[in-house]
Amino acid sequence: MKKEIIILGLLTPLLLNAQNNAKGYYKDIFIDGGLRLSSRADLPSARVLGLETEAFVSAKKAKEYTRMDTLLQEQCFAGSAIDENGVLLYPDGEPRFRLLYLHGGLAESHGKTLGERGRENIRTFVRNGGSFVGSCAGCYITSRGVWEDSLKLRHAYLGIWPGLCRGTRLSDKPTGISIDKRSPLLRYYDFGGDRFVDSVYHNNGAYAYTRQMWPEGTEILARYDTRGMTGLKREIQGEAAIWAYKQGRESGRVVPCGSHPENVKTGERLDLMCAMVRYALDGNGEPTVKGKLKNGEERVMDRHTRDNQPAYTRIGDKQYHHFTVEVPKQTRQLTLTLKSLMGYDDVVMYLCARHGDFAFVDDADYKNVALDANKRLVIKNPKPGTMYVSVHCATTVDTIVTPNGTQYAGRTDVLNGIPYTIKADY
């Protein structure tokens, strides 16, 4: 079994003792501070909310970039032989983190440095349930392009919000932010009761452009308040400063923001960033079922990412795979059997079951959490109907913080997935 030490970029855990709030994910937030973006690994809102983070951070200035910066970014987002999907995705294409946060900077330039593979992996991340928050450049890059005097599509943008941005033409100045009356951000904080946040830093950010209707499903969360400001090059009073979009139940929620509340460590501007993160996380996609287990038929989960068969692909670290069993009436016993494949007996996998809903370890009706790979779960007189069955891979990589960032060490083989079989007998 491979046990290697690899550098996956500057993956910095900012909370050594934080509670991992991610159920079925490796960690909560991945921070993109890569090429042509602000190079910061800290996200105060994540620390306040007790969320576990990792980050990729490049050199701070373009003239300081080395070939290693490019290589590490490619390894993080596009993947490598040891981690075919990069850090954001599990082997089956499901999101490995709950949320991707993208810093300010130069959106199109950063998109180009990600390459088509890196950009497509981010689109897959959101499509399959991972959420996204972006500030300034992280706002622009969510769109299909910009509208200035005409439509300018940006092929290096992500298009995870299928609308258009427009530049504010406001540089290095703060604006007020007015929270809409029905904004879901008010579920988390009242912002002093006046729904107003003062002096949010702004530097060439954008707003959601409305020459045509916003894409269906777009929610306007907050607007620019520039009353009393003079010398504006473009009138932006009341324009959408923060909005949200969620394509469907299984996709994640995208929350773009044209300004910069992300680095503030106190007060209502911090609350604003925390509310954006919380609303995005509450919009993670619903779990999906790999398939139905048939009586007496062993299901082999051994495919690789490159096989493009996610229903039969290996499981990643801290991931859940969900299945169902249709239990007939008057069934006296349901036996669930989990087996690792040759060479993987030293991993730890849990086997859980729950009647009528997804079976996570903390709320399963039945579970076997012994510290080994092979499991048997015997359920006497199960209720008839749909029984949900889950396999959870508890084995994960080790992290080592170094002056050059965090390394993944130990069980790096989990990055490309652990194969197993699952069977139901009744």
Side-chain angles (χ1 to χ4, degrees), residues 53-111:
T53 67
E54 292 183 351
F56 171 73
V57 180
S58 69
K60 293 188 179 297
K61 298 179 181 179
K63 63 182 180 181
E64 299 172 354
Y65 294 159
T66 67
R67 294 168 70 178
M68 183 58 70
D69 287 296
T70 302
L71 176 63
L72 292 177
Q73 180 171 284
E74 180 181 358
Q75 199 172 17
C76 280
F77 293 102
S80 65
I82 290 186
D83 183 8
E84 290 185 20
N85 294 292
V87 299
L88 292 181
L89 299 177
Y90 280 126
D92 58 1
E94 295 295 310
R96 190 165 172 261
F97 290 79
R98 297 172 69 194
L99 183 143
L100 171 62
Y101 171 73
L102 197 142
H103 270 296
L106 299 176
E108 186 174 21
S109 296
H110 180 63

Side-chain angles (χ1 to χ4, degrees), residues 301-347:
M301 304 292 294
D302 66 346
R303 308 299 167 84
H304 294 273
T305 297
R306 58 183 175 271
D307 297 323
N308 196 28
Q309 297 186 53
Y312 296 91
T313 296
R314 303 171 175 220
I315 194 168
D317 54 336
K318 297 188 179 181
Q319 187 181 19
Y320 280 87
H321 280 179
H322 299 283
F323 306 89
T324 59
V325 179
E326 293 303 321
V327 181
K329 293 180 180 179
Q330 299 180 342
T331 297
R332 294 186 177 183
Q333 179 172 298
L334 170 64
T335 302
L336 303 170
T337 305
L338 169 66
K339 292 182 180 179
S340 65
L341 296 189
M342 184 178 297
Y344 292 91
D345 290 340
D346 56 346
V347 302

Side-chain angles (χ1 to χ4, degrees), residues 166-366:
R166 197 178 199 201
T168 61
R169 295 184 180 175
L170 180 65
S171 302
D172 198 23
K173 290 185 178 180
T175 76
I177 297 290
S178 178
I179 313 296
D180 278 28
K181 281 185 178 181
R182 298 180 180 177
S183 173
L185 299 183
L186 296 171
R187 298 173 188 172
Y188 311 106
Y189 307 92
D190 67 0
F191 302 100
D194 59 2
R195 298 183 289 105
F196 180 77
V197 182
D198 195 17
S199 302
V200 180
Y201 180 67
H202 190 91
N203 192 27
N204 293 313
Y207 58 91
Y209 187 54
T210 57
R211 181 179 177 86
Q212 298 175 337
M213 294 295 291
W214 286 307
E216 185 178 355
T218 301
E219 300 176 273
I220 305 305
L221 309 183
R223 300 173 187 270
Y224 294 112
D225 191 324
T226 58
R227 288 173 294 180
M229 294 182 66
T230 60
L232 295 175
K233 296 179 181 179
R234 176 167 281 162
E235 179 55 57
I236 60 171
Q237 170 65 28
E239 297 288 0
I242 306 170
W243 59 98
Y245 175 78
K246 183 174 167 66
Q247 186 176 22
R249 294 170 60 184
E250 293 181 0
S251 63
R253 178 173 286 133
V254 179
V255 182
C257 174
S259 295
H260 286 280
E262 69 273 9
N263 297 316
V264 183
K265 301 177 180 64
T266 187
E268 290 184 355
R269 291 172 294 170
L270 174 60
D271 290 345
L272 179 63
M273 186 65 191
C274 287
M276 290 163 53
V277 169
R278 291 176 69 177
Y279 188 51
L281 291 175
D282 285 345
N284 282 139
E286 296 181 5
T288 59
V289 174
K290 293 292 184 185
K292 291 183 179 181
L293 301 179
K294 299 179 180 179
N295 187 21
E297 293 186 14
E298 190 172 63
R299 186 183 182 100
V300 181
M301 304 292 294
D302 66 346
R303 308 299 167 84
H304 294 273
T305 297
R306 58 183 175 271
D307 297 323
N308 196 28
Q309 297 186 53
Y312 296 91
T313 296
R314 303 171 175 220
I315 194 168
D317 54 336
K318 297 188 179 181
Q319 187 181 19
Y320 280 87
H321 280 179
H322 299 283
F323 306 89
T324 59
V325 179
E326 293 303 321
V327 181
K329 293 180 180 179
Q330 299 180 342
T331 297
R332 294 186 177 183
Q333 179 172 298
L334 170 64
T335 302
L336 303 170
T337 305
L338 169 66
K339 292 182 180 179
S340 65
L341 296 189
M342 184 178 297
Y344 292 91
D345 290 340
D346 56 346
V347 302
V348 176
M349 292 191 287
Y350 299 156
L351 180 61
C352 302
R354 185 182 183 191
H355 183 80
D357 205 351
F358 289 98
F360 294 95
V361 171
D362 59 352
D363 56 16
D365 297 328
Y366 313 93

